[in-house]
Amino acid sequence: MIPTLVIGLREGIEASLIVGIIAAFLGRNGRRDALRQVWIGVGVAVTLCLLIGIGLVTLSRELPQQQQEALETVIGALAVVMVTGMILWMSRHARGMKRELEDHAANALAQGSARALVVMAFLAVLREGFETAVFLVSVIQNSSSVGTGTTGAAIGIVIACVIGYGIYRGGVRFNLGRFFKITGLVLVLVAAGLVMTVFHTAHEAGWIDAGQSQAFDLSWLVRPGTVISSLLTGVLGLQPEPTVIEVVVWLVYAVPMLVFLSWPRPTGRRPAAAKPAPAPEPVQGR
């Protein structure tokens, strides 16, 4: 549940931020007509994303076993690429996202058209929804409980929608940079586990045969059916008997990404120049 909750919350927050900021901006400028179009566009984008997710699951179930493994490999690899790009982009732009969006909105209204804002909201929800659908399908397919994974994603998305509504109403403010950094670190671990799964399903599909010897035995720690096993497998992607190539790709992906996200970022503020010390007063002679 934890991995899918973080995915739903993180992706939902990104979409809700964009939609909430645009909706609040239109509301402040009295453009209720454009605001209605924004909500319609959001609804259409959400529907399309649901259809994409259902289509991926249905297609995967109808294929033979080996082809199912091949499709899961492709979906998993696509999910890793998308979530990695999203984490890297957000690590650089999270702090200035609100200001950038409001600048774009002001330019669109200054040109006499709010259509660009409607399209922006539609594409934001469609993009984040597509990433969420692909990532969730890949994670849930490899989770021990489909129901638990789906519930976690639903809870995360609901929380994100509540936060988005609070942003629209103007009552919710929080540190975007810190939020996306913390959730980014969690998502790196989830994505690293998904990388391991991709190489596992690629072997099952007959695409990779190298490095299939057992690296070490974790059956004493990752015991199927236990809470610890669910956390380690769901969040870190650990398996009771990981292979050499699975351990290698986990380290190759996770270590650089964790170092990059944990590295301190410059704040962009220049230190204030020190004020010159006042000149000493002349000593009066006696």
Side-chain angles (χ1 to χ4, degrees), residues 21 24-25 28 97-107:
I21 291 171
F25 191 88
R28 290 197 302 267
M97 176 183 287
K98 185 175 186 295
R99 183 177 62 255
E100 291 177 6
L101 285 173
E102 290 186 341
D103 289 343
H104 288 311
N107 291 334

Side-chain angles (χ1 to χ4, degrees), residues 58-117:
T58 303
L59 178 61
S60 177
R61 289 179 177 177
E62 292 181 352
L63 294 174
Q65 182 63 35
Q66 189 171 8
Q67 294 183 11
Q68 285 185 19
E69 300 291 345
L71 180 61
E72 289 182 15
T73 301
V74 174
I75 294 175
L78 181 61
V80 171
V81 171
M82 289 192 301
V83 76
T84 303
M86 176 265 294
I87 291 172
L88 296 176
W89 187 90
M90 193 57 66
S91 68
R92 297 179 180 275
H93 296 85
R95 296 180 184 275
M97 176 183 287
K98 185 175 186 295
R99 183 177 62 255
E100 291 177 6
L101 285 173
E102 290 186 341
D103 289 343
H104 288 311
N107 291 334
L109 290 183
Q111 295 175 2
S113 173
R115 183 176 300 175
L117 300 181

